[in-house]
Amino acid sequence: MTTVFTRTDLNGPAMHALVIGVGAYPYCDKDQDPQVSVAAKLKSLTTSEPTARAVAKWLLEKQRHDPTLPLGSLEMAISPLERETQCDIYGKSVERADFAGIQSAFAAWYERCDQRRDAVTFFYFVGHGCALKRGGQALLLENFGANPFNEFDDAADFDELYEGMGRCAAQSQLYFLDCCREVPEKLAEQVSTGARSLITPDGLTVHRTTAQILYASSRWHKAYGEDRKPSQFSVALEEAFDGLAAQRGRDGVWRVEADLLPQAVRDAIGFPSGPRNGMAPTSTGDVQNGLILRQLSRDPHVLFAMNCDPGEAGTDAEYLLLNPDGTVIDRRPPSSGSWTGRAKAGMYEAFARFGGRRWRDASSDMWAFPPTTEVEMKVEYL
């Protein structure tokens, strides 16, 4: 079984999700010759199952009843680290994430996506991945490396998948690849990985009008996650869907828009000092303005950074975040570096208080709108 959730009562646009998590790689790191084997340098991943579960959780809890784009279905395939373990998601057993299991999940997902032009596809893969020097991305599945004559026999060619999805009636398609994009030395000069296709492009039909591929890392780089916890990328994507990628309409309602996702994800990972672990999400595709993914029932949170000019003054400053009426919302005692935090979208006063030590108190208006805002207060010596 691959279906975790489905609705049959929807008569309008809906999001159909396929979430794949590959943790177990039983044929990797088995004393293969690293000069000829990609599998030799790979290990099983502890982050994949928690990540796939976390993505499924926020889709089911937050997208399921969205008034603009409700979740219409959720297909899953997961390979837990323990190979004998059957993965259970919300009481439903799901296929393991080998090629056969993912082919089954993909077929069910494609059928649902293909039923309406106004459907929105949501494809999320977390596991090992690798790229080619000249372009192309392979998604490595559970039994990667089992066939010594073609390690990629249990890998999916993402580029073929993407081109093949042009046949699907769904005009809006979103893809999230939470995997490394390093180019193994063995593949440096190759034009093909030998990965298999989940769907064959016909070279003619392209119903897709809006597409976005959001990668967790840039080409030649790794993706990261803490041991047995959801990955940085998945947490950032959830924050983007929760409002970092939102814009307020003239009616005062905040809505998450697809074209705002990439910057919101990058900011959630790297604001304000830049990418953590060198991980810089990248995106490709052509997203039409105004593709609404979620309607928020509350004001979203905004990432903020507060500091002083000159920077040395910040070490002595007690930073305060105030409502326009002067009430204190949050504070940070004197410490080195910028003060970073989260605040609901709106207007505030940023305040640097020195208590009569060396510097004059300073303040500045702070307009907080997603995804981020930075305030720098100029201060003077007493």
Side-chain angles (χ1 to χ4, degrees):
M1 178 184 293
T2 65
T3 303
V4 174
F5 168 78
T6 184
R7 290 181 65 175
T8 59
D9 60 332
L10 298 176
N11 297 314
M15 176 184 288
H16 296 284
L18 171 56
V19 178
I20 299 168
V22 192
Y25 286 92
Y27 298 99
C28 291
D29 192 29
K30 297 296 182 183
D31 298 321
Q32 302 99 322
D33 183 350
Q35 297 300 315
V36 298
S37 170
V38 175
K41 296 184 178 181
L42 301 178
K43 299 179 182 295
S44 293
L45 299 171
T46 66
T47 58
S48 295
E49 183 182 356
T51 297
R53 287 182 177 276
V55 173
K57 184 175 187 290
W58 61 258
L59 283 172
L60 287 167
E61 292 183 355
K62 300 176 182 179
Q63 199 71 37
R64 183 172 181 172
H65 299 296
D66 185 78
T68 299
L69 190 68
L71 183 67
S73 65
L74 172 61
E75 310 291 335
M76 295 191 73
I78 298 182
S79 289
L81 292 176
E82 298 77 15
R83 294 197 70 196
E84 67 279 2
T85 301
Q86 181 69 43
C87 192
D88 183 271
I89 302 290
Y90 289 90
K92 302 286 184 68
S93 296
V94 299
E95 301 279 359
R96 293 192 70 87
D98 54 17
F99 196 90
I102 289 174
Q103 182 72 75
S104 176
F106 177 85
W109 176 67
Y110 182 92
E111 182 179 356
R112 300 183 199 281
C113 296
D114 196 41
Q115 292 175 2
R116 295 180 60 103
R117 296 174 60 191
D118 57 6
V120 176
T121 75
F122 180 104
F123 176 94
Y124 193 102
F125 174 86
V126 55
H128 279 305
C130 66
L132 291 171
K133 182 177 181 180
R134 297 175 178 85
Q137 179 75 32
L139 310 179
L140 312 188
L141 312 183
E142 178 177 350
N143 293 327
F144 178 76
N147 179 358
F149 300 105
N150 178 16
E151 291 186 310
F152 288 82
D153 196 42
D154 209 66
D157 186 319
F158 175 74
D159 297 81
E160 288 253 317
L161 184 157
Y162 177 78
E163 293 301 322
M165 282 295 291
R167 296 161 44 185
C168 182
Q171 293 184 327
S172 299
Q173 302 183 5
L174 306 175
Y175 301 88
F176 306 98
L177 302 190
D178 193 353
C179 56
C180 297
R181 300 182 69 203
E182 291 182 300
V183 180
E185 184 177 349
K186 177 176 181 280
L187 302 178
E189 301 303 326
Q190 291 185 205
V191 296
S192 173
T193 61
R196 288 195 278 171
S197 179
L198 289 165
I199 181 172
T200 304
D202 65 10
L204 298 173
T205 308
V206 180
H207 295 300
R208 179 173 52 224
T209 59
T210 291
Q212 184 175 86
I213 307 169
L214 188 51
Y215 300 93
S217 61
S218 56
R219 187 171 292 278
W220 302 95
H221 290 85
K222 293 178 179 289
Y224 289 91
E226 293 184 45
D227 185 35
R228 302 185 185 276
K229 293 182 180 180
S231 67
Q232 291 182 20
F233 180 74
S234 66
V235 172
L237 185 63
E238 181 178 2
E239 287 193 78
F241 267 82
D242 279 351
L244 287 188
Q247 187 168 345
R248 186 169 60 185
R250 293 183 178 179
D251 57 1
V253 177
W254 290 92
R255 297 177 177 88
V256 176
E257 299 187 11
D259 59 316
L260 303 179
L261 284 179
Q263 187 59 54
V265 169
R266 284 191 285 269
D267 283 334
I269 289 177
F271 178 80
S273 56
R276 280 179 283 165
N277 301 313
M279 188 171 128
T282 59
S283 61
T284 61
D286 182 17
V287 179
Q288 292 182 344
N289 291 335
L291 174 58
I292 305 301
L293 302 179
R294 183 179 290 177
Q295 180 174 305
L296 304 182
S297 59
R298 52 169 177 73
D299 291 340
H301 281 84
V302 179
L303 304 176
F304 71 82
M306 195 181 299
N307 51 69
C308 292
D309 179 18
E312 62 178 300
T315 303
D316 299 323
E318 178 187 20
Y319 285 126
L320 303 168
L321 184 66
L322 311 174
N323 274 320
D325 64 5
T327 57
V328 177
I329 300 171
D330 201 359
R331 69 179 73 218
R332 192 199 76 174
S335 180
S336 60
S338 299
W339 179 29
T340 59
R342 287 170 170 77
K344 286 186 177 181
M347 182 179 176
Y348 301 93
E349 181 183 5
F351 195 86
R353 183 163 61 192
F354 297 95
R357 298 187 304 275
R358 295 184 63 195
W359 311 93
R360 298 183 188 277
D361 294 348
S363 65
S364 175
D365 291 337
M366 187 178 94
W367 293 87
F369 290 98
T372 65
T373 186
E374 294 187 70
V375 176
E376 184 176 79
M377 289 168 283
K378 291 187 177 296
V379 297
E380 299 176 347
Y381 284 105
L382 284 173

